[in-house]
Amino acid sequence: MANIQQINGDYYGSKETLTEALPYLKQKDVYSAAINNLFGIADKELSLYNDAIFYYQEALKDCTDEASKQSPLNNIAVVYIHQKKYDKAILILESIINEKSLNTDLTRKARVLDNLGFAYFKKGIHDKGLLLMQNSFNLRNKIDDAYGNIEGNLHLAEFYSKPNPQKPNPQQSNQYAQSAYEIATRFNSVDERLKALSFLISNDSGNKNAQYAQKYITINDSIIKIRNNFKNKFAKIKYDSKKEKDENQKLRLQKVENELSLQEAKYQKIVAGIGIIFLIIVIVILIRYYRNKNRIEKIKTAYDTETRIAKDIHDELANDVFHAMTFTQTQPLESDSIKETLVQKLDNIYSRVRRISKENNTIDITANYSAGLKEMLSTYNSNNTNVIINNVEKVNWELVDAIKKVTIHRILQELMVNMTKHSNASLVVVKFDSNGKIVFIDYTDNGKGCKKEEIIKNGLQNMENRILAIKGTITFDSEPDKGFKVKITLPK
């Protein structure tokens, strides 16, 4: 399409069409070379000589052999002649003439000889230039290259025209110009016809001059009109073709979309069926999993509780029961004071048994929760330890989740047991507070404390795990001989 536009003189339109062709290039090959060569021709005809050379050089890069490089090299030389850089043009054309492959393509050889002779002539080396141009002219006649001889006739017409001060021969110039005009008319090469007429006008000052001038004007006006009409016609053809192509593409897309929609609906039904079956399987597996998990947790909890009770009985009661039995065996029970001592020992054992029982009982999380919590904390009061409980009723326990109530109870219970076993504290303060959304609990004792790195070793890791499980926070603060502090916060 771009080539057709150039034949009809639409060089700007040709460049636009070539630009549309560029995205279809996937690699450097004969097509990319052809596109760049056409770009160069368009820019040469538009007198954009530097751009033309650039594109010819790009075409040269895509040529794969020496023979295919000759055409873009020749075109570069022609542009150099237009730029009056005759030495550069001659250097390129002489290198092409010396190529052996040129002897197998006589049409190309005649064109290179003609351009080389014309370059020598323009440089001022007239005899050598004329000889090369005549050799080319004769070769074209021999191989019947009539179209190529249009340019050959024009070059010789310019050589003999009046502006050439060396060998002006207007009559001979007119002969070559007239010949170029006739051949150009036969091939409908309008630009060459106009150029031939320009030589006839400049060489002749008689009556024919006016005829040539009138013919020049008529042809020039006609070609401008024809080329403008061609541009409009070509644009419409492209538009109609694109419109038809887009409509066909749209219809094809609609058909494909309809087929895809039907296929998609079918697949959706299949996927939905598979999804429902899969979901049922997952639900069954999860139900079994959580049932087993709950059963395992209950077993583990029961085991932990039994282990803790056994340990408490062993640590706290076994020795006291043994001492009580030894006491009854070694002391005279008839004495009132001895009986009173034995009663105190048995009462102490009874109190400890009650406390162990309460520690492992089910926690009451009903409206009596605060009373039960306070009672649990109060059981750790003794002759040696004073437990103070502040503001436990200030928290609206009914708004606190049941699991969190159990967690708070167990954590405080573990703190009190830890205090009893390790702290030797004489004073313990447990303070409660709430801002409506968060419960705050502060535990403080004046016991012997411990180093911070030993806190986890004292069994407090379990408390931290419990509080994190209900999205709360717990912080421990302790130093040797400076007591023990714990801050607990958790959302209701």
Side-chain angles (χ1 to χ4, degrees), residues 263-276:
Q263 195 71 20
E264 188 177 357
K266 181 181 177 182
Y267 287 145
Q268 283 177 349
K269 289 179 182 178
I270 295 171
V271 171
I274 295 171
I276 291 170

Side-chain angles (χ1 to χ4, degrees), residues 297-444:
E297 286 180 353
K298 286 178 181 178
I299 294 170
K300 187 177 182 299
T301 302
Y303 174 77
D304 291 342
T305 301
E306 290 170 0
T307 303
R308 186 167 60 252
I309 293 170
K311 188 174 185 300
D312 288 344
I313 290 172
H314 178 271
D315 292 347
E316 298 190 22
L317 297 180
N319 289 335
D320 289 346
V321 171
F322 177 77
H323 287 310
M325 290 171 61
T326 303
F327 185 80
T328 59
Q329 292 171 358
T330 59
Q331 299 297 323
L333 298 178
E334 295 84 2
S335 171
D336 291 339
S337 62
I338 296 299
K339 287 181 180 178
E340 182 65 29
T341 302
L342 178 59
V343 169
Q344 287 179 357
K345 286 182 179 290
L346 292 174
D347 186 61
N348 184 43
I349 291 171
Y350 173 72
S351 297
R352 292 193 180 188
V353 170
R354 279 194 66 193
R355 182 166 58 79
I356 291 171
S357 176
K358 281 185 174 291
E359 285 177 0
N360 297 283
N361 268 348
T362 302
I363 297 168
D364 185 0
I365 57 173
T366 62
N368 298 320
Y369 176 77
S370 61
L373 185 61
K374 194 170 183 178
E375 183 182 353
M376 181 273 292
L377 293 171
S378 299
T379 59
Y380 292 91
N381 267 312
S382 67
N383 294 331
N384 298 322
T385 305
N386 182 23
V387 179
I388 299 173
I389 305 159
N390 287 334
N391 300 329
V392 69
E393 296 85 0
K394 188 174 180 180
V395 179
N396 188 351
W397 294 105
E398 292 183 4
L399 300 178
V400 179
D401 184 72
I403 295 175
K404 294 178 180 178
K405 288 180 185 178
V406 173
T407 302
I408 291 170
H409 190 101
R410 292 302 184 200
I411 288 174
L412 290 175
Q413 198 172 62
E414 288 185 41
L415 279 172
M416 300 308 290
V417 171
N418 188 70
M419 177 274 298
T420 303
K421 291 181 178 179
H422 303 294
S423 284
N424 296 328
S426 60
L427 179 64
V428 178
V429 178
V430 183
K431 182 181 177 183
F432 295 85
D433 200 358
S434 174
N435 65 359
K437 294 182 179 180
I438 300 175
V439 177
F440 304 94
I441 303 172
D442 289 343
Y443 168 92
T444 307

Side-chain angles (χ1 to χ4, degrees), residues 2-203:
N3 197 18
I4 292 169
Q5 285 173 287
Q6 287 194 7
I7 292 170
N8 288 275
D10 183 12
Y11 298 108
Y12 285 111
S14 173
K15 291 178 68 175
E16 289 178 4
T17 305
L18 289 169
T19 304
E20 292 177 26
L22 290 176
Y24 295 98
L25 288 176
K26 302 302 178 185
Q27 60 186 10
K28 299 292 186 180
D29 54 17
V30 291
Y31 294 104
S32 59
I35 287 174
N36 282 312
N37 193 58
L38 285 171
F39 266 122
I41 293 170
D43 282 336
K44 184 199 77 171
E45 296 299 329
L46 293 170
S47 301
L48 302 172
Y49 297 129
N50 290 331
D51 291 343
I53 289 173
F54 168 79
Y55 284 113
Y56 286 142
Q57 288 174 341
E58 290 297 307
L60 199 60
K61 294 176 185 176
D62 300 335
C63 295
T64 55
D65 54 66
E66 294 302 320
S68 61
K69 290 180 181 180
Q70 291 173 5
S71 182
L73 282 172
N74 177 77
N75 292 341
I76 292 171
V78 171
V79 175
Y80 280 144
I81 293 171
H82 283 289
Q83 290 181 314
K84 299 182 180 180
K85 297 177 181 179
Y86 305 120
D87 289 332
K88 286 187 174 183
I90 290 168
L91 188 65
I92 292 172
L93 294 169
E94 287 283 9
S95 69
I96 299 173
I97 285 293
N98 294 327
E99 288 289 334
K100 293 180 180 179
S101 61
L102 198 64
N103 293 323
T104 61
D105 190 344
L106 297 181
T107 301
R108 185 177 294 172
K109 183 176 182 179
R111 181 167 63 250
V112 174
L113 282 171
D114 185 38
N115 287 329
L116 180 60
F118 189 67
Y120 274 118
F121 153 59
K122 297 299 284 185
K123 187 182 178 184
I125 306 175
H126 297 87
D127 291 339
K128 187 171 184 178
L130 179 59
L131 178 62
L132 289 169
M133 286 189 287
Q134 285 178 333
N135 288 341
S136 170
F137 186 80
N138 294 332
L139 180 58
R140 278 170 169 161
N141 285 332
K142 183 178 178 181
I143 61 176
D144 197 23
D145 181 14
Y147 183 80
N149 244 342
I150 298 174
E151 195 70 18
N153 276 295
L154 290 173
H155 284 167
L156 290 168
E158 184 173 346
F159 181 87
Y160 288 111
S161 64
K162 286 183 178 179
N164 181 9
Q166 297 294 326
K167 296 183 178 181
N169 190 337
Q171 187 177 358
Q172 198 163 3
S173 175
N174 281 350
Q175 288 177 358
Y176 285 116
Q178 187 67 41
S179 178
Y181 179 82
E182 290 172 358
I183 299 171
T185 301
R186 195 196 327 161
F187 283 97
N188 200 26
S189 298
V190 181
D191 291 321
E192 284 76 8
R193 287 174 70 190
L194 292 174
K195 194 170 183 181
L197 285 171
S198 68
F199 286 123
L200 291 170
I201 293 168
S202 63
N203 289 332

